[in-house]
C-alpha cells in the first residue's frame, strides 16, 4: 500500500489525496448531523488517530496500542461516541463534547511569519488614473445608474415571484389549504434513471386527499414508466416517497428537463410544480 488517503466523487473522479505518515490500520466515517459535518477518523500504525474534515486535520490523539477497529455512532445517551478496539483487545470510548470546536490544526499551528512583510503594491497605471478621474467627475450619474439597475432587479424578482405563485411553479405550496412540500431526486448513470419524488404534508393536523403526481417530458428524449401516480392520503408531518423509472431513448448525448406536477382531482391548476434537470446519460 502507498499510505494514501483519497476522496472520490460518486462518478469515480478523484478530488484530493493526502499522504499518511504511516500505515493505515482502519478508517471510520463520523457523521454529525447536529453540526452538519461529516468527518473521517483514520487510525495509524503509530498508535495515532487523525480526524479529517475534507483533507484538513481537525483533531488528533494517541492511543496506548494500535487501533484495529473503530465505530462511530450512538452509545447509551450520547449521540456522538467513537468506540475503538486495539490490537491487544482493549476497548476505548471517546465521547464528543457538545462544546467541541473543530479547526484546521495545520493552519492553527502555523505562525504568521509574513505578517510584517511589506506588500509589493504595483504602481498606478495611466488606465487606473483615468478611471479614477472618470468616476470622480461622473459620480452622481454612476450612482443613479446603479440605483436604477438595483430597482430594476428588485422589480424583476418580484414579478418572477408573483408568476411562480400564480403558476404554482414552486416546490413548496403557498396555498394554506394544501401545505405540501415536494422534493425530487434522480439516481442512476443512464440510460435508465430512477426518479424519486418526496411529498410532505407540512400542516399540523389536516391530512391531504385526492392528490396525484404527473410527469411531463419530451417523448423524443425520455420515456417515463409511470407518468401518472396516484397519491394516498398524506398524514401531516410524514414523508412519502414515490418512484418512477425514466429511460433516455435518445442517443444524441443531450439532457433536458422533466416537469413534475402535483394536482388535485377537483382542480385544473396544479398545486405544485417542480423542474428536474436530468443528467446526461453516460452509459448508452
Amino acid at each position: 500500500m502507498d499510505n494514501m488517503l483519497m476522496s472520490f466523487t460518486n462518478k469515480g473522479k478523484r478530488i484530493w489525496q493526502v499522504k499518511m505518515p504511516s500505515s493505515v490500520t482502519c478508517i471510520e466515517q463520523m457523521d454529525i448531523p447536529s453540526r452538519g459535518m461529516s468527518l473521517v477518523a483514520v487510525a495509524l500504525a503509530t498508535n495515532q488517530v487523525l480526524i479529517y474534515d475534507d483533507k484538513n486535520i481537525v483533531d488528533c490523539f494517541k492511543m496506548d496500542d494500535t487501533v484495529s477497529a473503530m465505530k462511530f455512532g450512538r452509545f447509551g445517551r450520547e449521540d456522538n461516541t467513537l468506540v475503538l478496539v486495539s490490537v491487544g483487545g482493549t476497548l476505548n470510548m471517546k465521547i464528543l463534547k457538545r462544546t467541541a470546536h473543530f479547526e484546521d490544526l495545520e493552519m492553527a499551528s502555523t505562525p504568521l511569519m509574513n505578517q510584517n512583510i511589506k506588500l509589493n503594491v504595483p504602481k498606478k497605471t495611466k488606465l487606473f488614473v483615468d478611471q479614477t478621474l472618470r468616476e470622480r467627475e461622473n459620480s452622481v450619474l454612476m450612482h443613479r445608474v446603479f440605483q436604477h439597475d438595483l430597482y430594476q432587479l428588485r422589480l424583476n424578482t418580484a414579478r418572477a415571484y408573483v408568476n411562480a405563485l400564480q403558476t404554482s411553479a414552486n416546490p413548496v405550496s403557498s396555498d394554506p389549504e394544501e401545505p405540501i412540500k415536494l422534493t425530487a431526486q434522480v439516481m442512476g448513470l443512464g440510460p435508465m434513471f430512477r426518479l424519486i419524488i418526496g411529498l410532505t404534508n407540512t400542516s399540523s393536523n389536516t391530512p391531504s386527499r385526492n392528490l396525484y403526481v404527473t410527469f411531463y417530458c419530451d417523448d423524443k428524449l425520455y420515456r417515463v414508466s409511470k407518468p401518472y401516480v396516484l397519491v394516498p392520503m398524506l398524514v401531516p408531518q410524514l414523508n412519502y416517497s414515490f418512484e418512477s423509472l425514466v429511460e433516455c431513448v435518445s442517443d444524441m448525448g443531450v439532457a433536458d428537463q422533466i416537469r413534475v406536477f402535483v394536482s388535485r382531482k377537483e382542480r385544473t391548476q396544479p398545486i405544485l410544480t417542480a423542474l428536474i434537470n436530468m443528467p446526461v446519460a453516460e452509459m448508452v
Side-chain angles (χ1 to χ4, degrees):
M1 295 186 295
D2 56 357
N3 300 333
M4 299 294 293
L5 179 65
M6 302 181 184
S7 175
F8 296 86
T9 63
N10 294 332
K11 297 181 180 180
K13 182 179 179 181
R14 188 176 65 186
I15 305 175
W16 51 263
Q17 63 178 5
V18 178
K19 179 70 174 179
M20 295 288 102
S22 63
S23 300
V24 178
T25 57
C26 61
I27 189 171
E28 173 67 12
Q29 184 174 359
M30 301 172 57
D31 292 327
I32 309 176
S34 60
R35 301 190 181 186
M37 302 181 65
S38 181
L39 308 177
V40 176
V42 181
L44 304 178
T46 56
N47 303 346
Q48 287 183 325
V49 178
L50 305 180
I51 309 298
Y52 280 88
D53 182 9
D54 201 8
K55 61 179 179 180
N56 303 317
I57 300 178
V58 296
D59 195 8
C60 66
F61 55 90
K62 191 169 184 179
M63 304 293 295
D64 296 334
D65 196 0
T66 304
V67 178
S68 61
M70 293 186 296
K71 182 63 178 178
F72 182 82
R74 183 178 179 86
F75 187 85
R77 297 183 179 180
E78 297 295 334
D79 294 330
N80 304 316
T81 304
L82 181 63
V83 180
L84 307 97
V85 179
S86 65
V87 176
T90 306
L91 180 66
N92 299 272
M93 288 181 293
K94 300 288 186 179
I95 299 176
L96 179 65
K97 295 182 180 180
R98 293 178 174 84
T99 59
H101 178 66
F102 295 101
E103 63 178 0
D104 191 353
L105 296 183
E106 297 179 355
M107 294 294 294
S109 59
T110 302
L112 301 178
M113 300 295 295
N114 300 325
Q115 60 182 356
N116 296 325
I117 298 178
K118 185 177 180 180
L119 296 177
N120 186 15
V121 180
K123 296 182 180 180
K124 296 180 180 179
T125 61
K126 185 177 182 302
L127 178 62
F128 175 79
V129 175
D130 295 341
Q131 183 72 9
T132 304
L133 294 176
R134 188 184 71 84
E135 293 178 358
R136 186 181 302 172
E137 295 173 357
N138 304 295
S139 58
V140 177
L141 179 60
M142 295 177 64
H143 180 70
R144 290 177 180 175
V145 173
F146 170 75
Q147 291 292 333
H148 177 270
D149 294 342
L150 181 60
Y151 292 148
Q152 188 69 31
L153 176 63
R154 291 175 178 175
L155 178 60
N156 294 335
T157 304
R159 287 176 176 174
Y161 178 70
V162 173
N163 185 35
L165 293 180
Q166 292 177 350
T167 59
S168 299
N170 194 359
V172 179
S173 175
S174 60
D175 188 357
E177 298 180 358
E178 297 293 344
I180 300 175
K181 182 177 67 174
L182 184 147
T183 58
Q185 184 180 9
V186 181
M187 302 183 64
L189 300 177
M192 188 67 69
F193 299 96
R194 183 181 299 274
L195 192 60
I196 302 177
I197 304 299
L199 294 179
T200 305
N201 185 355
T202 58
S203 66
S204 58
N205 53 10
T206 304
S208 298
R209 301 181 177 89
N210 301 326
L211 301 178
Y212 61 91
V213 178
T214 55
F215 302 90
Y216 174 78
C217 62
D218 188 355
D219 55 359
K220 298 180 181 179
L221 297 178
Y222 300 104
R223 182 186 298 115
V224 183
S225 62
K226 296 180 182 179
Y228 176 87
V229 178
L230 185 62
V231 179
M233 182 183 68
L234 299 181
V235 179
Q237 306 301 326
L238 292 182
N239 297 325
Y240 294 84
S241 298
F242 307 92
E243 297 183 359
S244 180
L245 297 178
V246 179
E247 182 182 3
C248 179
V249 297
S250 175
D251 55 354
M252 296 185 296
V254 296
D256 199 4
Q257 293 180 338
I258 294 181
R259 292 179 177 267
V260 181
F261 302 99
V262 179
S263 307
R264 180 184 285 274
K265 295 182 179 180
E266 296 83 4
R267 296 176 53 177
T268 58
Q269 185 177 0
I271 301 174
L272 294 177
T273 303
L275 291 177
I276 302 177
N277 295 317
M278 297 295 295
V280 178
E282 299 184 1
M283 300 174 59
V284 179

